[in-house]
Structure formats: structure tokens, C-alpha cells
Amino acid sequence: MTTTLTLPKWYDLHVHFRQGDLIKPLIEQHLQMGCAGVVAMPNTIPPVAKVFEDEPGNDLSIQEYNKALLEAGGTAFKNIIIPLYLTASTTPHMIERGAKGGLLKSAKYYPPHATTNSNKGVDLSYYMDNGVLKALQDNGVILNVHGEIHGLKGEEFFGRETNAEVSFYREVAPRLVDKFPNLKIVTEHITSKAGVEFVQQAGPNVAASVTPQHLLYTIGDLLQGLKYHLYCMPLVKYEDDLEALRKAVTSPDNIKFFAGTDSAPHAVKITSCCGAAGCYTGGIAPQLYADAFEKAGIDLGGPSGQEAFKKFLCLNGPAFYGLVVSTETFILTKEPQEIGLVRTPSGTITPLPIGMQSTPATKTTLPWTVR
């Protein structure tokens, strides 16, 4: 008998829609995979570093970016949350005004030069001391954290015993929660056993988003044949990290870990100087998450496995963000689905599973399909 799950439409609580004529096809892909709403990341050019258009500076505002998303088809979502990109220009007054005006629901911390378009980020200690994080806490605004330390030496950035993420969750994150115990924090796209342990040991105000790629692959998968479509930040890690992530998301009592794809489109993934960080999983994320659950040994044909999957994909995230679980449903079925390259006005995007093929390909088949 074919395994079929009927699920509430889910929230992708970390996604990149970029700008211009890319937005429409990317939103369409998310709607096709049963998304009820999104947290749309603000690392555009310029960044979404203002709340209101009337604030000084040349950065985009949440007002403007929200309008662009709605005009490109975002009206089909029940909720769109756009985090404020924290920069050296962010002030406590901006936080308070944005929260009271109803536009500001979350704010995003990027370590400087950590990932795509994160060059305007500054060290987290800056916001700890200048009143910005206190303003987030006092006004009920969620902090979305890219949990890495940057500017490290090579062996510190990615070593067998430590790396940029492990250092953050062992050294910086504990100080953050100690100083701001009532601040709600989402540790974004965690990749490490240390990150899992931090979230589990922290109080109810700390939760984590997890991507499909970090539940499916390790650093060996990235390096064998240099599968650059798996290159994302933070980097995929080792087997024990993968095991810790899988155990956390599939646990029957999981209430802290939820889906956030970090889906990021790149028509040009490799340039003459470097690789663009980000994996594209738009349109296929529930299928990939289901594959990861099965690889973790979960029987999605049984009630306990289905309930664990439903909590991770559909329930935990909305509960943490204070969103209403959708009354609409979508169907996930254990049937093969062929996928191809994604054609957009800005170029062709390669979905992650196609990019993971051992030889150049334009299509592949997934074990699950969304209807």
C-alpha cells in the first residue's frame, strides 16, 4: 500500500526569494509544495535594513519588500514575515516603532561576511551593548540568528573538533541567553551536534530551524566530486552531527526543531573567484524532509512516524512564531516524482538533488511527491 500523508499546509520559516523577476517563480514553487506562509530573508541588495520607508538611508524597508512579495504572488500566503536585517544603523527606536506599528515581527543577525550579502552585519556583541537586543526582548520581536563566528583561522573555522558554528554555540550563544533570558531566539539552519545540544538545554524561548540538506548530507557528500550545489553556509558537517540533527527532529517529544529550508536560488553557482552559498530546494522541500526522516529510520507509514513528521514540518514552527496552523491541507505520497531544472527570467536554477548527481544532469527522480 502506498504511504500517503495528509498534512496542514506548512510554513517555511527561512527562505530566500531574492529580488526582481526572480520573486514570482520562486513564490510559485513554494505554493506548489503546500506552503501556507514564509519567513523571507532580508539579505537583498540593498538589505532590508529599515522597517518603514520614511526612515533615513538608502536601504530597503520591510514595507517595500513586503509590497514586492505581495505583488509577485505572495497574497496567496496566509503570513509573510520579513526580518529586519540588523546593521550598525539599527537603533532601539527603530525596533520599538516597528513593533508597535505591527510590521516588525523578527530581526536577523548576520555575522559579517558569513554568507551571501552579509557584508553589512556586525559582531553580535555590538547589539548586546547598544540596546538593540534589549529592545527586541522588550517588544516581543524574535531574533533570528545565523550562529557562526567569522574571521577565524582555517583550522578554527572548520576543524574536526571545532568550527565556526560550534564556537558560536559554546562561547557566544550562552552569553546571549544569559543576558536576555526573555528574548525569543531562532537558531537558524543549525548544522552541528553542539547546536542541537545548546537548543535542547536552553529554555522555551530558544528554538531552531533545520534545512533538508543538513538532514541528508555530510561534508563528505560535498567534497566527493566537489558537489558545489551542496555548498551552503553553514557548511554541512560530520556523521555525528547528522545523527544528532536527525534524532532531534524525529523525536516524538520534539517541540523545538522545525522546518526552515534556507532555499536560496543561484543561476550562477560558481564564479571565477568563489562559490555562491545556498542550496535550492524550492518546490521539493517536504519530499526531501520525508526522505530524511526515512533515512533516520522513521516509518512514515505508521501513526507515530507521521505525527513526528507533522510536528516538525507543520506544527512546531507556527507555535513558536505565534502563527495559526493552516486549516488547508496538502498531500505527500510515497510515489516517484521527476523534477527538472527551474527556468526563471533571471536564469536557470539547479535544484539540489539534480546538482548532487555524479554526472551533469538536467533532471532526477525523488522518492516522494506532493499533490
Side-chain angles (χ1 to χ4, degrees), residues 348-366:
T348 299
I349 299 166
T350 301
L352 178 60
I354 295 178
M356 292 302 294
Q357 302 305 298
S358 57
T359 57
T362 59
K363 59 184 178 181
T364 192
T365 300
L366 306 178

Side-chain angles (χ1 to χ4, degrees), residues 3 299-307:
T3 299
D299 177 15
L300 291 181
S304 61
Q306 291 189 6
E307 184 60 24

Side-chain angles (χ1 to χ4, degrees), residues 8 31 57 73 88 97 101 113 133 157 217 226 253 262 273 296 333 363:
L31 292 171
R97 183 185 178 218
H113 307 289
L133 295 188
F157 176 72
Y217 303 111
L226 195 57
D253 59 359
D262 197 14
C273 68
T333 305
K363 59 184 178 181

Side-chain angles (χ1 to χ4, degrees), residues 213-288:
Q213 60 266 25
H214 292 114
L215 291 172
L216 287 169
Y217 303 111
T218 67
I219 189 67
D221 296 301
L222 171 64
L223 295 178
Q224 189 174 34
L226 195 57
K227 302 295 195 303
Y228 57 85
H229 286 285
L230 182 55
Y231 174 64
C232 61
M233 298 301 295
L235 294 164
V236 288
K237 302 298 191 296
Y238 296 97
E239 288 291 341
D240 55 342
D241 299 299
L242 179 68
E243 181 180 349
L245 287 166
R246 286 179 172 177
K247 185 176 180 181
V249 304
T250 61
S251 172
D253 59 359
N254 167 34
I255 60 171
K256 285 193 155 205
F257 300 88
F258 49 75
T261 64
D262 197 14
S263 181
H266 293 285
V268 178
K269 194 76 167 75
I270 293 293
T271 68
S272 59
C273 68
C274 57
C279 306
Y280 187 70
T281 54
I284 55 173
Q287 300 94 307
L288 298 180

Side-chain angles (χ1 to χ4, degrees), residues 312-326:
F312 169 74
L313 187 70
C314 308
L315 304 182
N316 292 350
F320 191 82
Y321 273 87
L323 302 171
V324 176
V325 175
S326 178

